[in-house]
Structures are given as C-alpha cells and as structure tokens.
Amino acid sequence: MVRPRGTTSTGRHRIEMSLRPDKNSRQVTFSKRRAGLFKKCSELSILCGARVAVVVFSEAGNVFALGSPSMEAVLHLHDGAPVPAADVDDREVLEEMFRAREATAEQVARMNSIGDKVVKAQRGRRYWWEADVEALGEAELPEFARALGRLRANVRRHADRLLP
Amino acid sequence: MVRPRGTTSTGRHRIEMSLRPDKNSRQVTFSKRRAGLFKKCSELSILCGARVAVVVFSEAGNVFALGSPSMEAVLHLHDGAPVPAADVDDREVLEEMFRAREATAEQVARMNSIGDKVVKAQRGRRYWWEADVEALGEAELPEFARALGRLRANVRRHADRLLP
DNA sequence: CTCTATTCATAAAG
DNA sequence: CTTTATGAATAGAG
C-alpha cells in the first residue's frame, strides 16, 4: 500500500501528523461527519426518547437542519405531540422509525400547503427529518422562522419565571 | 463471563435482542450518548470549520445546549466573529481548543454581568461550550432568547429573499 | 462511489 | 468509576 508522507492508514483523524488536507477532502470529511452527526442525533432521540434539534452551517455557507422526532416537535418544547413511548423495545423502535420515515413525505407535504418542493428536497436523504434548508427555502423557512419564534417565546417565559 | 439472558457482549445496541432496559440504564445511555453527540459536534466544527448549534431535551425534561465554536457565533449566523481558520493543522486546532476552553470562564462570566453562576454551571463539563441550560437559567436564558430572536430574524430575512 | 484499516463510541460487566 | 468487547464511524485510497 502506497501512502503519502505524513499520513497514516488510520481512519479517524490522527492529531499528530496528517498533511494539510485539500479543500475537496475537507468537503468529503464534512459531508461524512455531518451524516454521522445526524445519525447520532436520531439514535439519541429514538433510543432515549429525547428531542433533538441541530443546525449546522458548513464553511461553504450551506445550512443543514435536523429535528428529531421532528423539528416541530422539538421547537414546540412541551406543547407538542407526545414523544414516542419510552420503554418500547428495540424492535418496536425500528418499526416506529420506519413508519416515521414512510409517513413523512405526506406529513411534510401538508405543511404550509407547498408540499411538492419539500418532498423533493428530501430525495436521496436517508431520514425523513433530514432536509437541506437551502433547498427547502421557500416552503420550510417561514415555518422554521415561526417555530423559532415559539421557541424564543418559551425560553423567555422560562427566563421570566426564573427572574421574578 | 456471566451475562444476563437476552444480551450479547457487544458494545453498541443490538437491535435483535436486549432485554427491556430499566430506567437507570436508559439514563446512563442518554448521558453517554449526549456526551458523544456533543463531542461529534465539536469535531465537526473544529475539523471542518463548521458552526453547529444543538438543543437536546431529555425525556426527564432536562435541557442541554451546545454551540460550537460558541452558541453566539452560531446564532449570529454570518454577523459573528470569524470562525477559527479553516486550514490550520490539527496541532493548532488542539491548541486553539485548549485556549478556547481556558478563555471561556472569563468570557461567559462577563456576559450579562451575572458571571458567577455561569462559571459554576460549567463545572465538571469537558468543553467550555457545554452548559446545562437549566443550571444557567438566570444568567444565560435571556441572552439565549435574544440570540434566538436574531436567528429567527436572519431566517426570516433569508425566507423573504427567497420569496420576493 | 466502494474498500480497507484503524480508532472511537459505548453497552455491559466488574 | 474502570475495564472489556465489539460494532460503528470514518480518513484515505482506488
């Protein structure tokens, strides 16, 4: 096996050596790591019944967002629909995950009566709650903005409660 | 090696078997996975120059938030301070990470002139941008709420640009 | 994209 | 908390 000087054959990042990576490999790394991060989020949500919201801005300026079980459910805080049962076993969890994925095209399509574009933006993505914010711009961003407004209001209410 | 029926010696979750976990092990799992998730976020940010914001609501109702390179830098979108250089090598990255961690007690303490409570809320956490939102309530939440307001405004601006 | 090598994450046990 | 075992994540190459 031939390998450039200064590198190892390791998968994970070796802090010690490694040549300065070029822009392309940085992009590959970002994509892979973002995918891994989103998967971790879904695992945390599904396995532990947690609600997770993430926003990632890539260096190139692209924006990616993930909500699990849904961005709405997370941003609604405690007002949303109940989280999938806590004590289901793993088989049920997988089935639920599959159902959720199946159901989402419709669910998202209904949102804001725009539909088609949202469904298209999910093409080729592994999980239904993955969506390129840029691609979803027209349909999703206004709703996202409203959801953020609600989150902000909730946080404020909490803050006010803490500061009588 | 003795092991309960229905389990394997594997680390990762085996979907096929595994007895229904009790509440305690679910808690351990959540904590470990949340820590792992936050670490992944920091890696994505540091290694790829991305900005990442996460909010996690545990089933028990606890809230955890993480911003990398900082919640502020992420929520300010493109108005914030420049992200740490993209092409630094890993050694520099580690040093920067260490500096950031060192610097944060002061940085956060200055915020909102409340200080002490914020510094205490970081106790025992590995990275400076980890903070239990619940513990940070008084000092951090109002600022968090303002930051969310700015994020919302930015998202709206983006949405308006897309919808002339 | 696929393949491979290596470290990482982490469930379970001590 | 520490150790151990094993599948998962992922950098680099093809």
Side-chain angles (χ1 to χ4, degrees):
Chain A
M1 180 193 297
V2 178
R3 212 183 339 263
R5 287 173 306 111
T7 69
T8 74
S9 67
T10 179
R12 293 304 176 89
H13 49 290
R14 293 301 299 270
I15 304 295
E16 304 79 12
M17 9 188 16
S18 87
L19 298 172
R20 183 163 307 192
D22 64 27
K23 213 148 199 179
N24 197 286
S25 55
R26 285 181 58 83
Q27 177 58 43
V28 172
T29 290
F30 174 81
S31 300
K32 281 185 179 178
R33 281 185 172 275
R34 185 186 58 78
L37 178 66
F38 280 18
K39 185 177 177 187
K40 289 291 182 193
C41 289
S42 77
E43 289 177 359
L44 182 65
S45 175
I46 291 170
L47 296 176
C48 307
R51 282 166 293 166
V52 185
V54 207
V55 184
V56 177
F57 299 89
S58 75
E59 205 170 31
N62 297 314
V63 188
F64 303 89
L66 155 65
S68 180
S70 74
M71 187 61 86
E72 278 301 287
V74 176
L75 297 181
H76 270 117
L77 296 189
H78 299 280
D79 304 332
V83 184
D87 283 331
V88 295
D89 63 36
D90 286 331
R91 184 180 304 279
E92 287 175 304
V93 153
L94 272 191
E95 285 165 3
E96 172 62 27
M97 197 172 164
F98 188 74
R99 276 197 300 278
R101 185 182 171 185
E102 294 290 305
T104 296
E106 312 166 43
Q107 172 192 332
V108 176
R110 276 196 305 278
M111 193 203 300
N112 284 343
S113 309
I114 298 190
D116 271 4
K117 178 149 190 180
V118 178
V119 174
K120 287 192 188 101
Q122 198 236 326
R123 288 276 161 74
R125 291 175 187 279
R126 185 165 175 193
Y127 300 113
W128 58 267
W129 20 253
E130 282 189 53
D132 184 332
V133 168
E134 208 62 38
L136 287 181
E138 287 186 30
E140 180 104 326
L141 281 180
E143 180 58 27
F144 186 43
R146 279 194 291 276
L148 285 171
R150 287 191 291 271
L151 171 57
R152 188 192 180 195
N154 276 313
V155 171
R156 274 194 163 151
R157 190 147 22 89
H158 185 193
D160 291 344
R161 220 182 306 129
L162 291 174
L163 294 168
Chain B
M1 180 192 297
V2 178
R3 209 183 342 260
R5 289 174 303 113
T7 69
T8 73
S9 66
T10 180
R12 293 307 175 87
H13 50 288
R14 294 300 299 269
I15 304 296
E16 303 79 13
M17 10 189 14
S18 87
L19 299 173
R20 184 163 307 190
D22 63 27
K23 213 149 200 179
N24 197 287
S25 55
R26 282 181 60 82
Q27 178 58 42
V28 172
T29 290
F30 174 81
S31 299
K32 280 187 180 178
R33 282 185 172 274
R34 186 187 58 77
L37 178 66
F38 279 18
K39 186 176 176 190
K40 289 291 182 192
C41 289
S42 76
E43 289 177 358
L44 181 64
S45 175
I46 291 170
L47 296 177
C48 306
R51 283 166 293 168
V52 184
V54 208
V55 183
V56 178
F57 300 89
S58 76
E59 205 168 31
N62 297 314
V63 188
F64 303 89
L66 154 64
S68 182
S70 76
M71 187 60 87
E72 277 301 289
V74 177
L75 297 181
H76 271 119
L77 296 190
H78 299 280
D79 303 332
V83 183
D87 284 330
V88 294
D89 65 30
D90 287 331
R91 184 180 303 279
E92 286 175 305
V93 154
L94 274 190
E95 286 164 2
E96 172 63 26
M97 200 172 162
F98 187 74
R99 276 196 300 277
R101 184 180 172 184
E102 294 291 304
T104 298
E106 312 164 44
Q107 172 192 332
V108 176
R110 274 197 306 279
M111 194 200 301
N112 285 343
S113 310
I114 299 189
D116 272 4
K117 180 151 189 179
V118 178
V119 174
K120 286 191 187 101
Q122 197 238 324
R123 288 274 161 75
R125 291 175 189 280
R126 188 167 173 192
Y127 299 112
W128 59 266
W129 22 253
E130 282 190 54
D132 184 332
V133 168
E134 209 63 39
L136 287 182
E138 288 185 29
E140 181 100 329
L141 280 180
E143 180 58 26
F144 186 44
R146 280 192 291 277
L148 285 170
R150 286 191 292 270
L151 171 58
R152 188 192 180 198
N154 276 313
V155 170
R156 274 195 163 149
R157 189 147 22 88
H158 186 192
D160 291 344
R161 219 183 304 129
L162 290 174
L163 295 167

